[in-house]
Amino acid sequence: MKRIAACALAAALLLAQMPALAALAAFSSAAAGALPPPWRVVTLDKLSRHTHYEIVRLDGASVLRVAADGSYANLLHPLAGLQARRLRWRWRVEQPIEQADLRRKDADDVPARVCVLFDLPLDRLALADRLRVELGRALFDPQLPAATICYVWDLRLAPGTWLANAYTDRVQMLVLRRGGYGAWADESRDLAADFARAFPHEARSGLPPLAAIGVSADGDNTGGTSLAYFGDLRLDTQ
């Protein structure tokens, strides 16, 4: 079971506790088993099962292994209001979640997800959206992000599909991959173009700075299992 705060990656639970950096800590330079700070697992205490994150060796490199088993948790990296234009990474899904369907709340699970949390001022939102975000901040946490884009590797939807998160349209998802399991895929996303597509009203004032980057997988709605790997994530500021 997920709440609106969970859909926004529970960022506020982390951002207030950790120092923010202007660059992403590399998985490739981390020791086996340990997560390089300031990457940190964030989850909901009420859940009994949490997605597992660890650094492992694969294909001669240190990478992030992400395993979900009827579980939920996010791996977040806070940023110091960084202005970045492009996000690059590589990922690999070994096992998808057969029962997952991002269009349904009861099946809103995914084997691999990369999310960009934007530090978007509320005065850039339409009134109705601003009121919803303010309500969410009052109910859950005052630092709840106002805009998030999640790039997903899905089982059903075609690459290029945009859709709102099943719980809140303040999280917009873009399917990048379907199938192709067991092989690395390289990604390079123009954040300004994607933000304009996901949040056209807010994009009129330009691309906001970044609050955090998140990596995750979950199977708590379906009870499913998944396995994925992530290489280093890199941000281009030019």
Side-chain angles (χ1 to χ4, degrees), residues 2-224:
K2 300 186 183 110
R3 303 294 187 191
I4 294 176
C7 297
L9 300 178
L13 300 178
L14 178 65
L15 298 182
Q17 302 173 21
M18 298 180 57
L21 299 181
L24 296 170
F27 303 134
S28 60
S29 60
L35 296 173
W39 288 103
R40 180 177 169 186
V41 176
V42 179
T43 188
L44 301 176
D45 292 338
K46 66 192 305 182
L47 299 178
S48 60
R49 303 178 70 88
H50 307 294
T51 300
H52 184 66
Y53 300 89
E54 65 175 333
I55 300 298
V56 300
R57 296 289 293 179
L58 182 67
D59 296 337
S62 293
V63 298
L64 177 69
R65 181 181 187 270
V66 181
D69 183 6
S71 58
Y72 176 86
N74 303 291
L75 186 67
L76 289 181
H77 189 303
L79 294 165
L82 181 70
Q83 290 284 357
R85 303 292 300 180
R86 184 169 293 275
L87 175 63
R88 307 174 192 271
W89 76 95
R90 65 175 186 137
W91 54 351
R92 170 176 174 169
V93 170
E94 298 288 340
Q95 180 182 354
I97 299 175
E98 298 293 340
Q99 313 96 311
D101 187 338
L102 293 174
R103 298 164 294 188
R104 295 165 35 207
K105 287 185 177 181
D106 64 347
D108 177 40
D109 290 333
V110 66
R113 179 195 291 114
V114 173
C115 293
V116 182
L117 290 72
F118 294 93
D119 186 10
L120 180 68
L122 289 187
D123 60 11
R124 289 177 55 176
L125 274 66
L127 178 59
D129 290 329
R130 187 186 314 160
L131 292 174
R132 283 195 292 267
V133 173
E134 288 176 343
L135 177 61
R137 290 181 174 181
L139 292 175
F140 300 111
D141 195 289
Q143 299 300 317
L144 197 68
T148 298
I149 294 176
C150 290
Y151 303 104
V152 301
W153 195 314
D154 191 48
L155 176 70
R156 305 179 187 281
L157 301 175
T161 299
W162 281 94
L163 71 161
N165 178 272
Y167 291 81
T168 171
D169 63 4
R170 300 313 303 171
V171 178
Q172 291 289 321
M173 300 183 293
L174 174 59
V175 178
L176 295 186
R177 301 283 169 177
R178 179 177 64 182
Y181 306 121
W184 287 104
D186 295 313
E187 310 293 357
S188 178
R189 300 304 310 177
D190 182 331
L191 296 180
D194 287 345
F195 187 82
R197 172 62 178 80
F199 302 103
H201 175 82
E202 295 86 338
R204 296 173 187 171
S205 300
L207 180 68
L210 308 186
I213 297 291
V215 172
S216 63
D218 58 288
D220 59 313
N221 284 307
T222 63

